[in-house]
């Protein structure tokens, strides 16, 4: 796959027009959600510092250039097989041309907040599947835990050897109208999307080499190194050279591409349930040379399908005996079973109490204000203001079941009212957060579109590593605030800028292995006819 | 009165075709508490297996065992010796306010939940409310148990392991499991935390020492009215030395004595016996 | 290596080779049909379909276009397109054991098929067929330069070699009815990409006996059945490292291959044409049995287990 370098084109910039064509009418005050924070433009001061260089590189481009690059981008994605399945169809993962930029200081704050959250939730899960001290101390209602759909009693008493349950977390954050980051939800089960973070970067570097040359963007390519380190660190004590595998539901799963990419980058086997079996609480892999013991399973199968002995008996995806192998200490399942109790959206509302109880700290990243429908007072307020709030099921992802009050018809609101009354524990409500906007290619122009961000954190037991960047999802339809890819959203490459003069530059490079030889050796050549010989022929 | 009992519970399965693999969990080991003392317990299987023991969320001792050699029959023998006594009605009889206080509701939330075995039912709730009138929580437990005892006719074969309280109630008959579920459905309807108990019942009140009788797998309930106490709605009896308890949970699903999965032909239970011998 | 992945690699090898060889056979047959008006298109097409194991349709007589549709474009097993998509499916499920370059090669081939197909329907099959041959060559080159010589590579080459024997046999089967001097034998050589090499080896003398000899027995030509058997055998030998490998040939697949190879090796060239059909059929049977034996020995894949709930009414 060869791309024509477009550096040449970039350098012969036509005289700059008065208003860059691409951004024409960008900050139209009549646009929907005009109060949202635009990450490139300040309504008063113009282009924000973080985006200055990006803006300067983009503005001279003609709409036709944009289209050419966008086509190259799509082709690159399809040829590399970077796709996701939607209703059984493989589609290229939609990547927008314009990257999203986060400054070093913004990122530092965000990173600290995420690390704090992961540490707090680790302590919470360890407690919940152990003594439940937080409940005994009356900090959280017991009912909050026992009514969680993903509180899996089967996991009670399973203690991971290095204490880690959240090997990978995806913390969804948004920027509110003031531009402050707030956490929208935690994903502690099998958060997906990190493969797109890596592939988006690789693809952007192919198509926009010139932009990278002008920015110092922190790399995301070494994610798999961190993941593998965390998984190996989690292994049972006896395993000197732990055998790690990635367990996928199979090729028809929507995130199969990611499972395969992670296995390849970690250099471990990607297995399906049928490749594994349990005997006497030890898990083995079927190989061409016979059985091979498995120590750590990075699984991308939901708890409910993991082990037919303890969960759905008709699951064909899982491995019978997995749960007891973990209980017996012969296997580590990553992420741990039952983590869903930590990312329940009602538990989320208690995060400040949880952080205070375990860490003695106030949250560094605020939640989005949330009403709990199971508390009678808040329940009534939600029902009164149903038409202005966003109501969400406490469980589930992908944007399913969410009702946007302002957009809903009276009939939909009525149905929602009934659902909430029937199961108050099942619902929370939030004011409509006007997610921040970033310039996004729509037709031949750049328009403000709403985005969120899912940074990924990896816990190896000693430290929590947060991949600089994360998956920025963007809602393509004008005014839409729903960014899920299952709802037709797109994505953006997310650039975390390296701090000025920092060690971060050398994250991927180090001192060289050797000294470059002074004397370049010329490649050898075979016998050739010299000019005289050629002429005589 | 204190009895020492030996319980030998044998379950035999036969499969249509050879079974290559099977993974099982047995919840058959009696527990110890102030009414009952477990002295020894053993689990054996044919073909022989190596059991892995653990204690589950509900505090029940679980024996997990797997088979990898093809077999067409499986026999599980759980034997134990326990000492039992009777249990007087608790002296504490909490008020309705205590039972329904937000503390108890939170603490015993799991035992007030509706499940597929113990579903909510409007008509049944009305009956339960009727029985509650003018009674303390403890009296209500007794009254509901009596009502269930009088309403259902003990009959095997009408209901199965997956029948709910409502199924049994509508059929008008059932076995101990159904009596217990129906009682739970009504107690939870009036807000009394209550749980399912699985165990064994010695069937002869005046058995001689050394006499072996045919016992049965049994189920009854426990309710919280200031403290936990048990009652046997199937026989409308307080829990006494003839009852040996094994496990408690929200319903049958939490305590099912023998469950597992296997690959191969359909299974039939060919032998289920509970031999109980009074030793002292 | 993971048994399921080994199986995928083996089948990637087979499907790519099958797509390649089928394209070559079809390409040459189409040429012959177009160039030689004396050939009865329908009969020739049906013979070819039979040899390739594709069910010929009843009814209308077949011509070049109908033949191309069936052999190249139909989704039926054995067609070029079905081989390409099967190769791609197998690569997709084994992506972590093939290099990214190989995956991109197969995936891009698969993605380009519809466009090439449209072009072929407009302008004739040659462009499509040479596209397939080119992509197969690219695949082979990338496999050669990007895959470690580990067990994965051996399963890939094993699959390719086994398929190659099978396809050579099919190719010869399509001509067994021809007269020894029939010009059809040239097409056989062309299909196998062996025409030039043959001419250099035998100095232009063309007759059936030598053609068969060359394609079955030549030790140096990589598409001869002998060479492919030798290669398959070598792969199995390297894969078979168990303790049983020390005495005789413990593994059934090695034994079958060795036997087939030595049958060819020690055959008097003069006897080659006696009962050629029987010999080819035997070879084809061997290929099938080798496939089964390899699968038994290495691909301990199990179907999804259907679990039954052991809870029964007491």
């Amino acid at each position: 796959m060869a791309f024509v370098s477009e550096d040449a084109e970039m350098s012969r910039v036509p005289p700059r027009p008065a208003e860059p064509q691409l951004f024409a009418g960008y900050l139209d005050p009549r646009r929907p959600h005009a109060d949202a924070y635009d990450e490139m433009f300040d309504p008063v001061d113009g282009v924000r510092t973080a985006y200055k260089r990006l803006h300067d590189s983009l503005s001279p481009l003609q709409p036709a250039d944009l289209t050419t690059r966008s086509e190259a981008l799509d082709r690159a994605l399809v040829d590399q097989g970077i796709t996701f399945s939607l209703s059984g169809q493989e589609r290229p993962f939609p990547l927008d041309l314009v990257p999203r930029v986060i400054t070093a200081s913004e990122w530092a704050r965000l990173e600290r907040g995420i690390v704090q959250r992961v540490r707090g939730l680790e302590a919470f899960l360890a407690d919940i599947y152990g003594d439940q001290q937080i409940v005994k101390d009356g900090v959280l209602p017991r009912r909050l835990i026992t009514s969680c759909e993903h509180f899996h009693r089967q996991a009670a008493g399973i203690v991971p050897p290095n204490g880690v349950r959240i090997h990978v977390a995806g913390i969804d954050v948004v920027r509110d109208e003031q531009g402050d980051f707030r956490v929208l939800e935690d994903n502690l089960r099998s958060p997906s999307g990190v493969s797109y973070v890596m592939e988006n970067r690789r693809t952007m570097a192919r198509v926009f080499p010139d932009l990278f040359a002008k920015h110092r963007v922190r790399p995301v390519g070494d994610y798999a190194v961190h993941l593998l380190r965390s998984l190996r660190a989690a292994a049972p004590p006896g395993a000197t050279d732990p055998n790690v595998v990635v367990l996928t539901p199979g090729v028809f799963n929507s995130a199969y591409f990611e499972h395969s990419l992670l296995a390849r980058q970690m250099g471990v086997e990607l297995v399906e349930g049928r490749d594994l079996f349990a005997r006497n609480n030890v898990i083995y892999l079927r190989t061409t040379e016979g059985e091979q013991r498995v120590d750590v399973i990075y699984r991308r199968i939901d708890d409910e399908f993991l082990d037919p002995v303890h969960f759905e008996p008709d699951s064909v995806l899982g491995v019978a005996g997995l749960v007891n192998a973990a209980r017996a200490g012969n296997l580590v399942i990553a992420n741990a079973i039952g983590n869903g109790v930590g990312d329940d959206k009602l538990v989320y509302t208690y995060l400040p109490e949880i952080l205070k109880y375990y860490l003695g700290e106030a949250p560094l990243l605020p939640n989005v204000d949330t009403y709990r429908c199971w508390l009678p007072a808040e329940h009534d307020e939600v029902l009164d203001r149903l038409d202005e709030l966003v109501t969400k099921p406490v469980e589930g992802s992908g944007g399913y079941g969410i009702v946007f009050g302002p957009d809903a018809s009276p009939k939909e609101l009525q149905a929602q009212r009934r659902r909430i009354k029937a199961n108050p524990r099942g619902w929370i409500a939030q004011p409509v957060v006007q997610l921040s906007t970033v310039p996004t290619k729509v037709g031949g122009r750049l328009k403000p579109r709403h985005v969120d961000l899912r940074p990924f954190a990896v816990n190896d037991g000693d430290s929590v590593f947060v991949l600089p960047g994360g998956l920025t999802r963007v809602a393509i339809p004008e005014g839409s605030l729903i960014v899920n890819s299952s709802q037709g959203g797109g994505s953006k490459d997310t650039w975390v800028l390296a701090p000025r003069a920092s060690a971060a530059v050398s994250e991927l490079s180090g001192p060289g292995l050797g000294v470059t030889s002074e004397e370049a050796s010329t490649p050898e050549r075979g016998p050739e006819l010299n000019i005289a010989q050629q002429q005589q022929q | 009165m204190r009895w020492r009992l030996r319980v030998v519970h044998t379950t035999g399965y036969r499969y249509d075709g050879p079974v290559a693999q099977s993974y099982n969990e047995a919840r058959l080991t009696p527990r110890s508490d102030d009414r009952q003392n477990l002295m020894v317990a053993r689990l054996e299987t044919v073909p022989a297996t190596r059991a892995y023991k653990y204690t589950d969320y509900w505090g029940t001792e679980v024996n997990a065992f797997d088979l990898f050699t093809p077999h067409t029959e499986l026999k599980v023998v759980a034997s134990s010796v326990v000492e039992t006594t009777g249990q007087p009605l608790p002296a504490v009889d909490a008020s309705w306010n205590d039972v329904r206080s937000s503390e108890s509701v939170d603490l015993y939330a799991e035992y007030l939940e509706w499940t597929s075995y113990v579903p909510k039912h409007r008509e049944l709730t009305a009956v339960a409310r009727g029985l509650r009138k003018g009674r303390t929580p403890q009296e209500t437990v007794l009254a509901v148990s009596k009502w269930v005892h009088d309403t259902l006719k003990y009959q095997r074969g009408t209901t199965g392991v997956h029948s709910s309280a409502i199924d049994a109630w509508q059929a008008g008959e059932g076995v101990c499991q159904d009596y217990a579920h129906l009682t739970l459905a009504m107690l939870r309807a009036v807000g009394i935390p209550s749980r399912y108990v699985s165990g064994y019942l010695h069937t002869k009140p005046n058995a001689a020492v050394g006499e072996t009788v045919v016992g049965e797998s049994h189920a009854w309930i426990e309710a919280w009215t200031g403290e936990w106490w048990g009652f046997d709605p199937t026989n409308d009896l307080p829990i006494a030395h003839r009852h040996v308890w094994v496990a408690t949970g929200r319903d049958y699903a939490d305590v099912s004595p023998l469950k597992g999965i296997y690959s191969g032909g359909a299974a039939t239970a060919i032998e289920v016996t509970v031999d109980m011998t009074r030793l002292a | 290596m993971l048994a399921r992945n080994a199986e995928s690699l083996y089948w990637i090898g087979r499907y790519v080779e099958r797509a390649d060889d089928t394209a070559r056979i079809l390409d040459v047959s189409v040429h012959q049909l177009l160039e030689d008006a004396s050939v009865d298109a329908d009969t020739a097409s049906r013979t070819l379909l039979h040899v390739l194991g594709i069910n010929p349709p009843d009814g209308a007589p077949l011509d070049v276009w109908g033949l191309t549709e069936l052999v190249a474009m139909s989704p039926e097993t054995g067609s070029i397109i079905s081989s390409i998509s099967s190769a791609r499916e197998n690569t997709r499920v084994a992506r972590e054991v093939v290099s990214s370059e190989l995956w991109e090669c197969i995936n891009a081939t698969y993605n380009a098929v519809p466009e090439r197909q449209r072009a072929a329907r407009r302008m004739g099959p040659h462009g499509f067929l040479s596209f397939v041959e080119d992509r197969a060559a690219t695949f082979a080159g990338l496999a050669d330069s990007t895959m470690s010589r580990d067990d994965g590579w051996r399963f890939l080459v094993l699959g390719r070699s086994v398929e190659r024997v099978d396809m050579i046999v099919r190719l010869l089967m399509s001509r067994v009815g021809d007269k020894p001097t029939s010009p059809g034998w040239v097409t056989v050589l062309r299909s196998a990409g062996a025409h030039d090499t043959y001419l250099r080896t035998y100095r232009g003398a063309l007759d059936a006996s030598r053609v068969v000899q060359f394609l079955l027995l030549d030790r140096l030509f990589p598409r001869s059945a002998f060479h492919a058997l030798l290669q398959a055998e070598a792969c199995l030998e390297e894969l078979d490292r168990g303790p049983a490998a020390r005495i005789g040939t413990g593994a059934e697949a090695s034994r079958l291959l060795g036997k087939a190879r030595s049958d060819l090796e020690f055959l008097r060239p003069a006897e080659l044409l006696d009962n050629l059909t029987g010999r080819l059929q035997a070879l084809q049977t061997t290929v099938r049995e080798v496939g089964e034996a390899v699968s038994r020995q290495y691909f301990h894949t199990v179907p999804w287990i259907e679990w039954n709930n052991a809870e029964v009414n007491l």
Side-chain angles (χ1 to χ4, degrees):
Chain A
M1 180 89 316
F3 286 101
V4 181
S5 161
E6 294 178 42
D7 280 347
E9 223 169 294
M10 294 286 293
S11 54
R12 44 182 165 78
V13 176
R16 182 179 293 201
E19 188 186 24
Q21 238 182 311
L22 284 182
F23 290 100
Y26 181 83
L27 280 187
D28 184 349
R30 286 161 305 171
R31 69 188 194 276
H33 308 297
D35 296 339
Y37 179 87
D38 188 76
E39 299 191 9
M40 185 182 268
F41 293 100
D42 181 298
V44 183
D45 302 336
V47 182
R48 298 181 201 271
T49 331
Y51 279 87
K52 192 97 183 67
R53 285 191 179 160
L54 186 62
H55 179 261
D56 292 349
S57 312
L58 289 174
S59 356
L61 291 184
Q62 297 298 311
D65 297 342
L66 218 54
T67 310
T68 312
R69 297 210 188 211
S70 158
E71 279 165 4
L73 206 65
D74 283 350
R75 208 165 44 241
L77 288 168
V78 172
D79 283 345
Q80 294 168 72
I82 301 170
T83 57
F84 76 106
S85 308
L86 188 59
S87 329
Q89 263 195 325
E90 248 183 275
R91 307 190 176 188
F93 191 72
L95 167 60
D96 185 66
L97 281 176
V98 185
R100 179 203 202 166
V101 184
I102 297 174
T103 63
S105 61
E106 283 170 340
W107 177 254
R109 270 200 306 282
L110 193 56
E111 188 179 28
R112 275 199 302 278
I114 289 167
V115 171
Q116 178 198 42
R117 231 170 150 94
V118 171
R119 280 171 52 232
L121 286 166
E122 278 283 8
F124 172 69
L125 288 174
D127 189 19
I128 290 308
Y129 288 106
D131 293 340
Q132 303 204 340
Q133 208 57 47
I134 192 167
V135 172
K136 288 178 186 153
D137 288 344
V139 175
L140 294 187
R142 190 173 141 78
R143 203 155 57 95
L144 173 66
I145 309 302
T146 59
S147 62
C148 260
E149 195 180 322
H150 293 284
F151 172 52
H152 289 312
R153 293 165 176 85
Q154 294 90 331
I158 300 182
V159 184
N162 73 340
V164 176
R165 284 181 172 78
I166 310 170
H167 302 82
V168 180
I171 309 292
D172 289 355
V173 295
V174 298
R175 299 184 82 159
D176 62 15
E177 292 83 347
Q178 281 70 48
D180 294 328
F181 281 107
R182 285 172 179 265
V183 177
L184 196 59
E185 65 181 67
D186 306 289
N187 296 279
L188 310 179
R189 282 171 277 169
S190 342
S192 65
V194 74
S195 56
Y196 300 122
V197 176
M198 294 186 278
E199 292 296 320
N200 283 356
R201 177 64 53 81
R202 216 161 68 93
T203 310
M204 285 292 281
R206 279 185 180 190
V207 182
F208 272 122
D210 40 329
L211 285 187
F212 283 89
K214 292 184 190 134
H215 290 80
R216 297 206 310 165
V217 181
R218 293 183 60 188
V220 293
D222 58 346
Y223 175 78
V225 176
H226 293 275
L227 179 59
L228 184 61
R229 190 177 61 220
S230 148
L231 295 173
R232 288 176 64 99
T240 40
D241 182 18
N243 190 10
V244 177
V245 299
V246 177
L247 177 61
T248 172
V251 68
F252 294 105
N253 185 270
S254 58
Y256 180 78
F257 165 74
E258 175 158 314
H259 309 160
S260 153
L261 182 83
L262 290 175
R264 257 181 304 140
Q265 295 209 342
M266 290 194 286
V268 305
E269 297 285 3
L270 176 67
V271 306
E272 295 178 10
R274 56 183 164 153
D275 298 325
L276 300 172
F277 67 95
R279 193 175 52 226
N280 292 324
N281 292 330
V282 175
I283 302 293
Y284 298 94
L285 186 63
R286 296 176 212 271
T287 75
T288 52
E289 283 144 23
E291 304 163 357
Q292 194 185 92
R293 194 179 158 139
V294 172
D295 303 297
V296 181
I297 295 184
Y298 179 54
R299 52 78 180 237
R300 298 297 295 264
I301 294 182
D302 292 344
D303 288 349
E304 289 76 6
F305 296 96
L306 204 50
D307 182 348
V309 178
H310 284 92
F311 295 98
E312 301 287 328
D314 52 356
S315 162
V316 293
L317 303 177
V319 184
L322 218 56
V323 173
N324 281 348
R327 197 189 308 280
N330 297 327
L331 173 77
V332 169
I333 300 173
N335 289 355
I337 298 173
N339 277 6
V341 76
D343 62 22
D344 181 279
K345 290 197 189 72
L346 187 57
V347 171
Y348 153 93
T349 63
Y350 290 88
L351 232 283
E353 284 87 345
I354 290 174
L355 294 181
K356 181 152 182 287
Y357 182 79
Y358 294 109
L359 307 178
E361 296 170 8
L364 298 173
L365 283 177
N367 280 355
V368 172
D369 302 331
T370 306
Y371 298 95
R372 308 156 184 179
C373 298
W374 82 328
L375 300 181
E378 300 186 18
H379 175 257
D380 294 347
E381 183 169 358
V382 169
L383 291 187
D384 284 349
R385 299 175 48 202
L386 210 51
D387 56 341
E388 45 185 291
L389 296 173
V390 186
T391 41
K392 299 180 177 178
V394 293
E395 129 66 22
S397 54
Y400 296 104
I402 294 181
V403 172
F404 271 78
D407 300 346
S409 68
K411 210 169 152 191
E412 283 167 330
L413 289 179
Q414 199 49 41
Q416 187 69 348
R417 188 181 305 273
R418 269 199 303 277
R419 279 194 285 267
I420 293 173
K421 275 185 170 168
N423 177 20
R425 168 64 174 87
W427 296 90
I428 52 142
Q430 293 167 341
V432 176
V433 181
Q434 303 197 357
L435 310 184
S436 57
T437 55
V438 177
T440 302
K441 179 184 175 290
V442 177
R445 294 274 185 286
L446 296 178
K447 299 279 183 196
R449 288 294 180 264
H450 299 280
V451 295
D452 77 345
L453 175 65
R454 174 179 288 182
F456 292 88
V458 177
N459 187 0
D460 66 6
D462 294 326
S463 62
V464 178
F465 163 79
V466 186
L467 186 69
L471 182 63
T472 291
R473 294 178 300 181
V474 50
I476 301 295
E478 182 167 23
S480 169
L481 294 169
I482 302 178
V483 295
N484 296 89
S485 54
S486 45
Q487 310 274 339
S491 76
K492 281 175 170 294
D493 188 14
T494 310
W495 291 3
V496 172
L497 300 182
R500 239 171 263 139
S502 81
V505 199
S506 56
E507 267 168 318
L508 285 188
S509 61
L513 289 178
V515 186
T516 317
S517 170
E518 298 269 313
E519 206 175 313
S521 64
T522 328
E524 292 171 65
R525 308 176 73 163
E528 285 169 45
L529 298 185
N530 62 30
I531 304 237
Q533 286 165 330
Q534 284 180 23
Q535 281 170 346
Q536 284 170 30
Q537 288 178 1
Chain B
M1 196 187 316
R2 175 175 289 271
W3 273 20
R4 183 176 298 169
L5 280 167
R6 181 169 65 219
V7 185
V8 180
H9 179 181
T10 309
T11 314
Y13 293 103
R14 181 177 294 144
Y15 305 101
D16 284 355
V19 166
Q21 300 176 67
S22 91
Y23 297 85
N24 308 277
E25 288 196 339
R27 286 172 168 79
L28 295 168
T29 312
R31 301 269 301 277
S32 289
D33 64 2
D34 52 3
R35 189 187 69 78
Q36 172 174 309
N37 180 29
L38 174 68
M39 304 179 74
V40 56
R42 240 153 74 89
L43 185 92
E44 280 173 76
T45 65
V46 185
T49 55
R50 212 163 78 185
Y52 165 69
K53 277 187 211 174
Y54 73 93
T55 305
D56 73 8
Y57 175 80
W58 307 102
T60 309
E61 179 163 316
V62 184
N63 279 277
F65 58 94
D66 318 334
L67 287 107
F68 309 96
T69 43
H71 56 283
T72 50
E73 282 190 16
L74 169 65
K75 194 156 134 182
V76 181
V77 184
S79 33
S80 54
V81 176
V82 289
E83 285 182 335
T84 56
T85 57
Q87 183 191 42
L89 281 186
V92 191
D93 185 1
S95 70
W96 283 106
N97 280 342
D98 294 343
V99 170
R100 288 203 224 130
S101 70
S102 58
E103 289 79 31
S104 346
V105 166
D106 188 51
L107 199 55
Y108 304 119
E110 286 165 305
Y111 303 115
L112 289 164
E113 259 171 38
W114 301 113
T115 70
S116 58
Y117 282 109
V118 185
K120 187 175 183 173
H121 192 276
R122 188 176 296 186
E123 225 174 301
L124 215 48
T125 304
V127 177
R129 287 204 180 128
L131 291 168
R132 186 190 65 188
K133 279 214 182 76
R135 290 194 170 93
T136 66
Q138 191 182 88
E139 289 163 0
T140 307
V141 174
L142 295 172
V144 166
S145 298
K146 175 94 170 64
W147 184 87
V148 169
H149 174 75
D150 295 346
T151 303
L152 291 186
K153 177 167 162 255
Y154 192 90
Q155 180 70 51
R156 284 181 188 277
T158 312
T159 53
V161 271
H162 298 298
S163 304
S164 73
I166 308 305
D167 297 338
W169 178 52
Q170 281 164 350
E173 43 192 44
V175 295
C176 52
Q177 179 185 329
D178 307 304
Y179 280 75
H181 282 148
L182 185 53
T183 311
L184 294 177
M186 295 176 69
L187 292 179
R188 290 181 194 175
V190 294
I192 299 178
S194 51
R195 62 194 184 196
Y196 185 99
V197 187
S198 76
Y200 301 104
L201 180 67
H202 186 285
T203 46
K204 197 169 171 191
N206 53 353
V209 171
E211 186 184 350
T212 301
V213 304
V214 175
E216 53 191 35
S217 287
H218 196 46
W220 57 93
I221 62 106
E222 282 184 359
W224 190 87
T225 56
E227 66 181 73
W228 285 104
W229 58 286
F231 198 80
D232 179 353
T234 313
N235 302 301
D236 193 23
L237 267 183
I239 302 307
H241 49 268
R242 292 195 291 135
H243 290 87
V244 176
W245 80 283
V246 170
T248 62
R250 290 166 297 185
D251 60 16
Y252 174 81
D254 288 337
V255 301
S256 64
L258 207 47
K259 68 169 189 178
I261 55 168
Y262 65 92
S263 64
T268 37
I270 47 170
E271 181 196 6
V272 185
T273 56
V274 179
D275 287 326
M276 298 181 82
T277 311
R278 186 175 165 199
L279 300 175
Chain C
M1 87 179 298
L2 191 59
R4 186 170 47 79
N5 285 339
E7 188 171 20
S8 288
L9 284 165
Y10 172 79
W11 282 104
I12 295 167
R14 290 200 67 159
Y15 282 125
V16 172
E17 182 68 22
R18 189 177 298 171
D20 185 12
D21 294 350
T22 311
R24 289 165 175 282
I25 294 174
L26 181 62
D27 201 3
V28 178
S29 304
V30 165
H31 260 275
Q32 198 199 2
L33 283 180
L34 293 174
E35 281 170 14
D36 186 350
S38 67
V39 180
D40 172 28
D42 186 55
T43 318
S45 301
R46 283 175 196 276
T47 312
L48 185 63
L49 288 174
H50 177 73
V51 163
L52 291 173
I54 298 173
N55 288 329
D58 303 329
L62 289 167
D63 57 6
V64 170
W65 297 97
L67 180 68
T68 310
E69 271 307 313
L70 285 165
V71 177
M73 320 287 189
S74 80
E76 223 188 308
T77 318
S79 81
I80 295 173
I81 287 195
S82 95
S83 297
I84 291 176
S85 52
S86 300
R88 189 232 184 199
E89 267 322 291
N90 274 286
T91 321
R92 200 152 83 95
V93 298
R95 267 187 71 179
E96 66 290 346
V97 289
V98 300
S99 61
S100 303
E101 282 89 342
L102 267 191
W103 157 248
E104 286 184 29
C105 169
I106 289 197
N107 195 38
T109 309
Y110 173 83
N111 287 338
V113 159
E115 197 188 314
R116 298 286 178 162
Q117 216 170 359
R118 276 193 298 278
R121 289 196 175 118
R122 227 170 35 242
M123 301 186 299
H126 178 72
F128 178 77
L129 298 173
S130 58
F131 162 72
V132 174
E133 289 163 33
D134 284 353
R135 296 305 294 183
T138 310
F139 176 86
L142 286 172
D144 185 70
S145 61
T146 61
M147 280 186 74
S148 293
R149 298 312 192 254
D150 56 7
D151 285 357
W153 164 260
R154 290 179 193 115
F155 280 108
L156 183 81
V157 174
L158 177 65
R160 181 168 77 195
S161 310
V162 166
E163 186 69 26
R164 200 165 268 182
V165 177
D166 188 56
M167 290 307 281
I168 284 290
V169 169
R170 286 177 194 272
L171 181 60
L172 290 174
M173 289 277 228
S174 72
R175 289 295 164 204
V176 283
D178 288 15
K179 285 194 282 290
T181 51
S182 156
W185 292 105
V186 182
T187 59
V188 169
L189 285 174
R190 287 224 178 94
S191 299
H195 194 217
D196 303 332
T197 324
Y198 175 88
L199 290 179
R200 268 203 305 285
T201 311
Y202 290 102
R203 306 280 165 212
L206 188 80
D207 74 86
S209 151
R210 283 192 169 162
V211 171
V212 174
Q213 196 177 319
F214 187 75
L215 288 180
L216 281 185
L217 302 184
D218 194 272
R219 278 166 193 273
L220 303 182
F221 185 63
R223 278 180 191 277
S224 81
F226 184 82
H227 192 275
L229 284 172
L230 212 57
Q231 202 159 28
E233 228 186 326
C235 290
L236 280 179
E237 207 169 288
E238 287 171 50
L239 284 169
D240 203 359
R241 284 182 297 262
R246 291 176 57 171
I247 302 166
T249 6
E252 178 69 4
S254 305
R255 197 186 63 75
L256 287 166
L257 279 175
K259 190 163 170 304
R261 194 246 316 135
S262 58
D263 280 355
L264 289 179
E265 193 168 11
F266 303 113
L267 185 70
R268 283 199 192 89
E271 288 170 13
L272 191 58
L273 289 188
D274 304 348
N275 190 19
L276 181 60
T277 316
R279 223 179 278 289
L280 292 174
Q281 275 165 349
L283 210 46
Q284 203 157 32
T285 311
T286 304
V287 167
R288 200 178 53 244
E289 285 171 353
V290 166
E292 285 163 10
V294 166
S295 147
R296 262 198 312 278
Q297 192 183 350
Y298 295 105
F299 310 149
H300 314 279
T301 43
V302 285
W304 296 112
I305 296 176
E306 203 175 313
W307 295 106
N308 289 310
N309 205 327
E311 228 167 23
V312 291
N313 286 330
L314 295 176

